[in-house]
Amino acid sequence: MRHLILGAGPAGVTAAETLRRADRDTTITLLEGEGEVPYARMALPYLLAGRIDETGLRLRTDADHFRRLGIDLRHGRAIKVDAAARTVTLADGATLPYDRLLVATGSRPTLQRIPGIDLPGVHTCWTLADARALLARARPGTRVVQMGAGFVGCIIIQGLVHLGVDLTVLVRSGRMVSRMMDPPSSALIRRWCQAQGVTVRVDTLPERITQGDGHLDVHLPGGERLPADLYLCLVGVKPNVELLAGTGVRIEGGIQVDDTMATGVDGIYAAGDVAEHVDVVTGARLVNAIQPNAVDQGRIAALNMAGRSAASRGTFPFNILDTLGLKSSSFGAWQGVEGGEAVEVTDPARYRYLKLQFKDDRLVGANAVGLTEHIGALRGLIEGKVPLGPWKARLQANPSLLMEAWLACKLKA
């Protein structure tokens, strides 16, 4: 049996190792597309911040790890899958055969469609090569205009501040991390960043970028112009799914998979940031681009590829974000659900906020800022769909009683 895994991020590496444990004799090829050793993309901000070196990014520290496991780690970029012939074509023209294929190709950054986005000095920060380029140019006092303040944008802020740059963050929408935080919590994060010396401008989208005299000029609506030594574009990502065109694999927001991570096309599975699966809380389908989800899906896909039986009960969306030392988090349906109820408590002077979302007698989502205690209990109550009974009213009266509610409801169950 020939197993081919496209992508050497957390999903792909986990899948390769799981396959080896499940079958000592099978052939496993792990294709890495950046010419690097497998690394954790989400650790790049720590590299920018000087908290780790490049070896700290590696998913496996032993240089001989994959060879010892009999996993053929190759470098190359897959560009086309032929589901009928069961082959994958690489950018260099090579062809790899497979019996079972796992697509774990992750995602790539999107770029703004504005004039000047291709000028020298415009960067993204998605790959290790991107991070190296930033480190080579960013110095104390370097003027950096960063477009985008989503999850990735906020953790990059920490690295840039550590480098001592003069940082201006432009936010297209009215609030930072709008896809995981509600308006009050987003406002706290914005105020915190400003207090750390970062300029944050919301409802701002540049019209174009031009080459100035030794620098870039970022043109804003109304004629304002921001000089910048670097322009950092962090406006979102999209899954790498184009290589599946013509295979019959169904693609919506991502690759549609069932509970076994199978795509419905014989022999093809998907996992990680390209896979769209069911939200365990709401039942809606979504791409849940977080590392724990990628690891879990990679493991489940591999077991099924090896002929074992394994099924996901659905994906659970959550994020924990550190923005210049201010911790924030979102869980489940943090925006609330139709017919639901919500309660919040806030202490803006201390940058603390908690909002709980209920549906019937269950917690379905939450936002928290400045609160790190009892986060596990919060996740457990939501992900476990734990019936609250009388604890719903108690939490509505005092949302801080999360641990007490968790212990009481779990003991009762």
Side-chain angles (χ1 to χ4, degrees):
M1 181 70 73
R2 298 165 298 184
H3 294 289
L4 176 57
I5 300 168
L6 306 181
V13 167
T14 300
E17 294 169 344
T18 303
L19 278 166
R20 176 53 69 227
R21 287 194 293 271
D23 188 339
R24 290 179 176 272
D25 300 319
T26 195
T27 298
I28 304 170
T29 301
L30 177 63
L31 189 69
E32 192 281 328
E34 296 180 22
E36 310 281 359
V37 297
Y39 69 94
R41 196 179 308 284
M42 297 312 295
L44 288 175
Y46 301 108
L47 178 69
L48 292 178
R51 295 168 62 178
I52 59 174
D53 60 18
E54 287 195 11
T55 60
L57 292 171
R58 294 177 182 172
L59 289 173
R60 301 295 179 264
T61 55
D62 179 1
D64 206 32
H65 176 76
F66 296 103
R67 191 196 63 77
R68 283 192 301 100
L69 292 178
I71 296 170
D72 180 17
L73 175 63
R74 296 193 184 187
H75 300 290
R77 186 169 62 87
I79 60 171
K80 184 175 178 54
V81 174
D82 186 331
R86 297 206 174 206
T87 59
V88 172
T89 301
L90 308 188
D92 64 4
T95 300
L96 299 178
Y98 69 84
D99 296 304
R100 299 283 188 273
L101 174 69
L102 176 63
V103 181
T105 43
S107 52
R108 64 180 184 277
T110 55
L111 287 175
Q112 296 168 277
R113 294 182 178 179
I114 61 173
I117 198 66
D118 55 350
L119 284 171
V122 175
H123 293 256
T124 61
C125 190
W126 189 245
T127 66
L128 177 54
D130 293 334
R132 290 176 182 140
L134 278 176
L135 285 169
R137 297 197 60 179
R139 298 286 184 272
T142 299
R143 296 166 297 182
V144 178
V145 174
Q146 175 180 313
M147 181 66 224
F151 181 84
V152 173
C154 280
I155 55 178
I156 294 294
I157 286 173
Q158 182 147 329
L160 293 174
V161 168
H162 172 81
L163 292 170
V165 308
D166 178 2
L167 179 60
T168 298
V169 177
L170 308 181
V171 185
R172 180 171 42 186
S173 68
R175 64 183 204 266
M176 301 176 71
V177 272
S178 59
R179 293 188 177 181
M180 67 172 275
M181 306 304 294
D182 64 5
S185 49
S186 176
L188 282 180
I189 295 171
R190 176 186 175 189
R191 187 161 63 85
W192 174 267
C193 288
Q194 291 171 324
Q196 315 303 311
V198 178
T199 301
V200 181
R201 300 179 59 156
V202 298
D203 299 314
T204 303
L205 182 65
E207 293 179 333
R208 66 186 187 281
I209 306 167
T210 59
Q211 188 70 61
D213 183 13
H215 63 271
L216 299 171
D217 283 320
V218 181
H219 297 261
L220 305 181
E224 187 178 359
R225 186 174 57 185
L226 296 178
D229 302 302
L230 292 170
Y231 182 87
L232 193 56
C233 182
L234 302 172
V235 295
V237 297
K238 59 181 179 182
N240 293 314
V241 296
E242 291 79 4
L243 77 168
L244 291 170
T247 60
V249 170
R250 186 181 172 202
I251 299 170
E252 299 289 342
I255 300 169
Q256 303 288 292
V257 294
D258 63 17
D259 291 346
T260 69
M261 300 297 119
T263 65
V265 173
D266 191 30
I268 301 180
Y269 296 75
D273 293 5
V274 294
E276 184 175 302
H277 195 218
V278 175
D279 181 335
V280 70
V281 176
T282 67
R285 298 189 69 88
L286 81 161
V287 175
N288 188 13
I290 58 175
Q291 185 162 321
N293 181 65
V295 169
D296 190 47
Q297 291 186 342
R299 180 186 61 80
I300 292 170
L303 289 172
N304 287 288
M305 292 166 70
R308 308 286 182 86
S309 179
S312 169
R313 61 188 181 88
T315 186
F316 180 63
F318 73 96
N319 272 303
I320 298 174
L321 174 64
D322 184 339
T323 308
L324 297 173
L326 180 65
K327 308 293 194 304
S328 59
S329 56
S330 68
F331 298 89
W334 57 267
Q335 314 95 320
V337 296
E338 185 175 356
E341 304 165 81
V343 62
E344 68 179 48
V345 59
T346 183
D347 183 354
R350 300 172 61 204
Y351 293 95
R352 292 170 69 90
Y353 174 81
L354 176 64
K355 187 169 190 175
L356 304 179
Q357 300 283 354
F358 301 87
K359 174 66 174 175
D360 301 326
D361 79 334
R362 289 175 168 81
L363 266 177
V364 295
N367 270 152
V369 177
L371 297 168
T372 55
E373 61 271 26
H374 309 326
I375 289 298
L378 181 56
R379 175 179 175 174
L381 287 167
I382 298 170
E383 186 177 14
K385 301 180 181 180
V386 177
L388 294 171
W391 277 95
K392 176 184 177 182
R394 294 171 189 169
L395 285 174
Q396 287 176 317
N398 185 355
S400 69
L401 297 175
L402 286 167
M403 181 54 75
E404 290 85 347
W406 166 251
L407 292 172
C409 294
K410 290 300 291 182
L411 287 174
K412 182 180 178 181

